[in-house]
Amino acid sequence: MGSVLSQFTEIASWFFLIYGSIIISGYLFTAIYSIIEIRDYKRRNNFEDDIALLQSLNLPAISILAPAFNEGLNIVENVRSLLTINYPSFEIVIINDGSSDNSMELLFAEYELEKKDILYHNFVKTKDIKGIYKSKNKAFKNLTVVDKENGGKADALNTGINICQNSVICCIDVDCILENDAMLKLIKPFLNNGNKVIASGGVIRVANSCVIEDGRIIEVKLPDSFVARVQVLEYFRAFLMGRMAWSRVDGLLLISGAFGMFDKQIVIEAGGYDTNTVGEDMELLVRMRRMMQERNVPYTVGFVPDPLCWTEVPQTWEILKRQRNRWTRGTAETLWIHKKMMFNPKYKILGMLSTPFWFFFEWLAPLIEFTGILFFIILFILGQVSWQVFLSFFLAVYSFAILFSVTALFFEEYSFQQYKKPSYIFRLIGTAMLEPIIYHPVIMWSAVMGNFDLLRGKNSWGVMSRAGLSNSGKKQKD
Amino acid sequence: MVNFDTFNFHLDLDSLPWIMKLNIVFALFFLSLAIIFFISIIWIRIFKIYRNEKKRKQQSLLIDFLNSYLFDEDFDKELEIKNFKENHLRTSLEIKVTIKEILHFHENLKGESAKDLETLFNKLGLVEFTLLDLEDGRWFTTARAINALSELCIEVPNHRIEAYLNESRNEVRQQSQLYFLKLAEEQPLKFLDKTVRPLTTWQQIYIENALKNFYKGPAPDFSQWLYHDLTSVVEFSIRMIARYNQFENIPELIPFLKSKNDTLKREAISSLTNLEHIALLELIIPNFKGNSRIIKLEILNSVEQLGNYEDLKKIGDQLATTDWELRIKYHNIELGFLPEKKELIYSQFMLEKRFEI
Amino acid sequence: MKKILVIEDNPMVIKSLEFKLTKDGNNVMVAHDGREAMKLLKDNEFDLILTDLMLPFVTGNELISYIKKNTPNTPIIVLSTSTQENIIMDAFNMGVDDFITKPFSPNELSLRVRRLLNKN
């Protein structure tokens, strides 16, 4: 038995080693590409003259779509802050997704709404619309409020797509906080490229503990809670490293549901948001890209590294676990729906790099890790654990995790440096040192449970839609 | 396989199994990299704090200096400029911040104040620094230098900028285009003749803006670029013909209504509409059906702007029932023509919608 | 001494306006955003208001309709980057007295301010 086991251990060791090296080279690739892209972006935007942009008649008009489900607490302020963004021509469409609270009444009172007969067509099929409202007050003429039956976030966004007037749409979470020039920045990729731009995404930051007044960030602070603080690091890694690099090679598969701009016509042709998956934001972009690739039309997806959108992340373990469980299911569902693309050279970068990467490193990684731990436990029970090997292995993995976070932190310092207080750096480093031990196992476990739930056939939305929109859109991966 | 009972630490690396050696080497490598990054972070932080403090000081100094220079009649300009030059333009950071701040002021001001700023820039000796930057060789420094030159209307020999008109970098190209435009006394778009790379929408926005807000001479005849090799230049020229109300160029635009290129065709329709060329409608309405979606939408726009209900009805017959986007647009225009029938049109549409007619 | 409220969020423009208008012999108060402006408007009376249209917290249009409702006789000058006809028309329809686009000439602005102040 001993020799079989030792042979097995040998094979397993090799397996983990190879897998580990691939992951490490993957990260190396992201780090290098990201830093090039960030540097390039900073240089390109050295001198900016927004006046010319604001005066231009050539900037496409934008429709900002914000679904709201039981957001009564802040909806009035959030809408007001949306109305004050800097952009020459835009409309705000708030889609009340059958809220059971008093959101509608509050909007009615504050913005002097009245019912309007507006012609629209269901380009994408949605739940019934109860009414469309506009303000009687000229000062709010950019505002449209749609009241509809509850159908989840994807359905609400589809409703917005059907009703809105402009050909460029920006989908956001109503509770996220936008920088003033967010739209001017996000539209840039649409103007700067020879190829057709079908979408552009921006960086999302963590708003927990920041000083917020009337829907605006007054002061950026590091979250007090450990769970939220780790997510600051996660968002650095995901956005400043991951997405930047993917954008450099034009292989982005995900634009966060909390903040992304799209060409409406392409979205409609692709069929709009899929209401049957919890990963509707990722699934839509993959479907759009797939459609463009199959049509053989040159196109691109833009990405802007400026911190433009701030959002509350889960502060408690319970909500966090639920969120990650959902993300795992979303990733798995999307990859499954589009499995045809994987390793298919017809889809170029998407087929040969992006989808395999997501499959092996986003979806499979937690499962492999889990298997590794199970393996370790079995060895332990059998008294076969080589503590020296284990400790050295653990040390290598641990130092890699630290390196990864510190690199991301370095990128942030180099580029935008949002956390101004010097003490924040030390707290973030401390957080990075604790993360692999305290936080990471929970994330891994949630991912495993997500796969388990998926196999069990847990319905994507169902109970989840009740969990509130505020967390459903904060999809982010690293 | 090392057994549980051999659990003891060897300091002698050679006696360890290979996998452990590898792990330890990796761990050390990662940790030392992490430490290097950590030190860099601290270093960047200290450097940035120090630099930002200097920057802030220089900026607040400049705000006072510039405002007094511009608006205070009792301000001894010559003496203060000399003072400032001697005491506050010593490091490259001070120079950079000063250039940037003067540009920022210049961006927001026009008229006499803008002129004063240009003089000041010269008197502070900042032109020389900008010219050094121009020769720097790195594209972003070059672009920044050209930006400053054009913003403040500082002339340099043409050939020094011309080379950048077809640079591979978008940003350098754009700045050199703007340079020629902003400094031109006449023929502001002459650079288009030398342009061989497409104009992005972004560049078009800035060219149009500079044309309107900086260029003071007579408007160029945009028809001269209607047969330029680049579609984007043609597109831009068609649009400008309308923006500058060059009615005399209407006959030149008509052929573009038959263009195979939808971008040009659309731009032509939109420009002729803006020029209120009523005869346009009879050229585009009869062939409505044979067009692509974006052209159809543009034709509907024209009817809305120039036509009447009768014109609209001619399109109604050519609309496919399944074409909901166009139908909605059609009915919205109809609502504009027949406000008294608002409710009828709406309920009729909702009915058709329900039965998917 | 006339009391002028400047509502603007670009610090450079604020400083210049403050400097120039004070030089002209006015008492200038500054609000950096719509909310601050609302507060100042509640507690003070002004002879003239100079405002941007794109402001944090409260839209320019909302601010204008608020001023027109409470102190309909206070002249308003809009100082904005917008050159779009419909935006300018909207502003005039809401009762704005003058519309100046950025980039602006400080001398011209000071002239227009004086003219409106003298009219009242």
Side-chain angles (χ1 to χ4, degrees), chain A residues 205-238:
Chain A
R205 293 291 179 111
V206 175
N208 302 45
S209 302
C210 288
V211 184
I212 299 168
E213 281 176 29
D214 288 353
R216 245 161 225 269
I217 300 271
I218 304 291
E219 194 193 339
V220 179
K221 283 192 166 172
L222 199 60
D224 296 323
S225 97
F226 173 74
V227 174
R229 212 159 49 233
V230 180
Q231 289 172 83
V232 170
L233 284 174
E234 274 191 303
Y235 277 47
F236 283 167
R237 294 197 303 251

Side-chain angles (χ1 to χ4, degrees), chain A residues 136-154:
Chain A
K136 281 180 268 189
N137 186 339
K138 262 207 166 151
F140 307 123
K141 68 181 167 54
N142 292 345
L143 178 66
T144 304
V145 177
V146 183
D147 194 18
K148 69 179 275 286
E149 305 285 344
N150 180 272
K153 188 177 176 186

Side-chain angles (χ1 to χ4, degrees), chain A residues 86-364:
Chain A
N86 276 1
Y87 198 80
S89 163
F90 67 93
E91 83 175 319
I92 310 279
V93 182
I94 306 292
I95 306 114
N96 178 37
D97 191 29
S99 294
S100 52
D101 67 354
N102 59 346
S103 307
M104 237 10 235
E105 289 76 26
L106 289 170
L107 288 173
F108 241 101
E110 180 71 19
Y111 297 106
E112 304 159 52
L113 299 180
E114 61 179 347
K115 203 165 180 166
K116 272 268 153 76
D117 292 340
I118 285 179
L119 305 179
Y120 67 92
H121 174 70
N122 292 345
F123 296 103
V124 185
K125 234 179 130 47
T126 66
K127 289 266 165 60
D128 284 343
I129 291 172
K130 291 190 238 169
I132 304 173
Y133 305 86
K134 294 278 242 179
S135 175
K136 281 180 268 189
N137 186 339
K138 262 207 166 151
F140 307 123
K141 68 181 167 54
N142 292 345
L143 178 66
T144 304
V145 177
V146 183
D147 194 18
K148 69 179 275 286
E149 305 285 344
N150 180 272
K153 188 177 176 186
D155 191 65
L157 284 167
N158 286 336
T159 309
I161 290 168
N162 289 338
I163 284 171
C164 72
Q165 304 290 318
N166 302 322
S167 58
V168 175
I169 55 172
C170 181
C171 301
I172 62 164
D173 281 354
V174 74
D175 61 343
C176 75
I177 291 163
L178 294 183
E179 293 288 327
N180 231 343
D181 53 357
M183 294 300 138
L184 283 177
K185 290 252 167 70
L186 211 51
I187 195 76
K188 258 182 212 182
F190 284 84
L191 309 172
N192 233 343
N193 211 291
N195 287 346
K196 179 158 185 72
V197 179
I198 59 169
S200 76
V203 168
I204 294 177
R205 293 291 179 111
V206 175
N208 302 45
S209 302
C210 288
V211 184
I212 299 168
E213 281 176 29
D214 288 353
R216 245 161 225 269
I217 300 271
I218 304 291
E219 194 193 339
V220 179
K221 283 192 166 172
L222 199 60
D224 296 323
S225 97
F226 173 74
V227 174
R229 212 159 49 233
V230 180
Q231 289 172 83
V232 170
L233 284 174
E234 274 191 303
Y235 277 47
F236 283 167
R237 294 197 303 251
F239 287 101
L240 289 179
M241 293 184 71
R243 305 249 176 111
M244 277 323 283
W246 283 113
S247 146
R248 181 95 193 164
V249 296
D250 201 9
L252 265 185
L253 284 193
L254 169 60
I255 284 179
S256 292
F259 185 51
M261 205 177 255
F262 301 90
D263 181 308
K264 182 168 83 175
Q265 188 58 26
I266 302 291
V267 173
I268 290 175
E269 283 168 20
Y273 283 96
D274 184 348
T275 49
N276 292 318
T277 170
V278 276
E280 77 285 334
D281 45 4
M282 177 177 180
E283 201 281 329
L284 175 69
L285 187 67
V286 175
R287 186 146 34 88
M288 284 167 73
R289 296 194 74 141
R290 181 178 175 176
M291 183 181 85
M292 296 303 279
Q293 217 115 40
E294 281 166 1
R295 285 182 185 175
N296 237 328
V297 185
Y299 76 99
T300 184
V301 173
F303 189 76
V304 180
D306 292 279
L308 297 178
C309 172
W310 298 77
T311 189
E312 293 276 337
V313 299
Q315 296 230 37
T316 64
W317 293 105
E318 264 327 294
I319 299 176
L320 179 75
K321 279 201 261 183
R322 220 157 40 195
Q323 182 196 45
R324 297 312 158 98
N325 181 307
R326 199 164 51 230
W327 288 4
T328 304
R329 282 181 287 138
T331 306
E333 281 170 348
T334 306
L335 289 173
W336 179 251
I337 294 170
H338 300 283
K339 54 186 177 298
K340 212 184 105 190
M341 292 171 77
M342 212 178 303
F343 294 117
N344 189 339
K346 198 175 104 188
Y347 297 101
K348 304 200 178 96
I349 290 268
L350 292 191
M352 301 312 285
L353 207 60
S354 302
T355 40
F357 180 90
W358 275 79
F359 177 76
F360 284 108
F361 300 120
E362 299 292 346
W363 179 71
L364 203 59

Side-chain angles (χ1 to χ4, degrees), chain B residues 297-351:
Chain B
L297 286 169
E298 201 57 54
I299 294 177
L300 280 167
N301 264 339
S302 306
V303 173
E304 184 176 17
Q305 307 285 326
L306 304 177
N308 52 32
Y309 187 54
E310 291 307 311
D311 296 316
L312 187 69
K313 276 203 299 199
K314 287 182 213 149
I315 288 180
D317 309 331
Q318 303 183 58
L319 274 181
T321 44
T322 50
D323 222 336
W324 289 97
E325 188 188 11
L326 293 170
R327 281 181 63 184
I328 287 171
K329 184 146 183 121
Y330 177 90
H331 287 304
N332 277 329
I333 298 171
E334 193 181 12
L335 285 171
F337 286 140
L338 309 167
E340 69 283 359
K341 292 202 177 155
K342 200 174 156 202
E343 264 148 46
L344 186 73
I345 294 170
Y346 180 75
S347 50
Q348 176 75 16
F349 178 83
M350 293 312 269
L351 204 69

Side-chain angles (χ1 to χ4, degrees), chain A residues 47, chain B residues 134 139 142-151 156 158-184 188-192 194-195 203 207:
Chain A
F47 30 83
Chain B
L134 186 62
W139 67 267
T142 307
R144 199 178 55 203
I146 305 177
N147 174 266
L149 292 176
S150 60
E151 186 69 30
V156 294
N158 269 355
H159 67 90
R160 289 181 74 171
I161 312 285
E162 235 161 46
Y164 299 113
L165 271 177
N166 290 306
E167 245 270 338
S168 61
R169 278 281 175 174
N170 242 337
E171 293 74 18
V172 183
R173 249 162 33 223
Q174 178 175 345
Q175 294 308 327
S176 51
Q177 289 162 353
L178 294 179
Y179 169 84
F180 284 111
L181 205 170
K182 288 181 180 177
L183 266 89
L189 298 181
K190 235 175 133 70
F191 68 84
L192 287 178
K194 299 191 185 101
T195 301
Q203 285 168 339
I207 295 174

Side-chain angles (χ1 to χ4, degrees), chain B residues 110-303:
Chain B
K110 66 177 180 194
E112 208 180 308
S113 312
K115 280 267 172 311
D116 288 345
L117 287 170
E118 288 157 26
T119 322
L120 176 70
F121 193 81
N122 205 349
K123 283 191 177 157
L124 284 175
L126 295 171
V127 178
E128 285 83 69
F129 290 110
T130 313
L131 291 178
L132 281 181
D133 273 356
L134 186 62
E135 298 300 308
D136 174 87
R138 287 175 301 177
W139 67 267
F140 49 95
T141 317
T142 307
R144 199 178 55 203
I146 305 177
N147 174 266
L149 292 176
S150 60
E151 186 69 30
L152 297 164
C153 299
I154 299 160
E155 216 164 338
V156 294
N158 269 355
H159 67 90
R160 289 181 74 171
I161 312 285
E162 235 161 46
Y164 299 113
L165 271 177
N166 290 306
E167 245 270 338
S168 61
R169 278 281 175 174
N170 242 337
E171 293 74 18
V172 183
R173 249 162 33 223
Q174 178 175 345
Q175 294 308 327
S176 51
Q177 289 162 353
L178 294 179
Y179 169 84
F180 284 111
L181 205 170
K182 288 181 180 177
L183 266 89
E185 305 258 322
E186 47 174 23
Q187 286 294 343
L189 298 181
K190 235 175 133 70
F191 68 84
L192 287 178
D193 298 333
K194 299 191 185 101
T195 301
V196 295
R197 286 175 187 264
L199 299 179
T200 61
T201 313
W202 182 255
Q203 285 168 339
Q204 295 180 27
I205 286 174
Y206 279 89
I207 295 174
E208 182 182 344
N209 187 274
L211 210 52
K212 279 189 192 149
N213 295 329
F214 284 84
Y215 174 66
K216 297 281 180 296
D221 177 358
F222 292 100
S223 68
Q224 57 186 302
W225 296 288
L226 286 179
Y227 293 94
H228 197 282
D229 292 337
L230 296 171
T231 311
S232 53
V233 173
V234 181
E235 176 195 357
F236 178 73
S237 310
I238 295 176
R239 190 182 314 135
M240 287 305 111
I241 285 176
R243 292 274 157 82
Y244 278 81
N245 291 323
Q246 297 184 337
F247 296 101
E248 66 281 10
N249 284 328
I250 287 178
E252 306 278 340
L253 291 185
I254 303 288
F256 287 97
L257 295 176
K258 292 209 168 69
S259 173
K260 294 261 186 305
N261 183 325
D262 269 357
T263 314
L264 296 182
K265 189 169 181 176
R266 177 179 165 203
E267 205 58 62
I269 296 175
S270 139
S271 285
L272 286 166
T273 308
N274 290 334
L275 289 168
E276 298 184 353
H277 185 62
I278 306 281
L280 168 71
L281 293 181
E282 55 200 63
L283 294 172
I284 51 176
I285 291 178
N287 305 323
F288 178 84
K289 211 173 170 182
N291 286 299
S292 66
R293 174 184 151 262
I294 57 162
I295 300 293
K296 283 179 179 166
L297 286 169
E298 201 57 54
I299 294 177
L300 280 167
N301 264 339
S302 306
V303 173

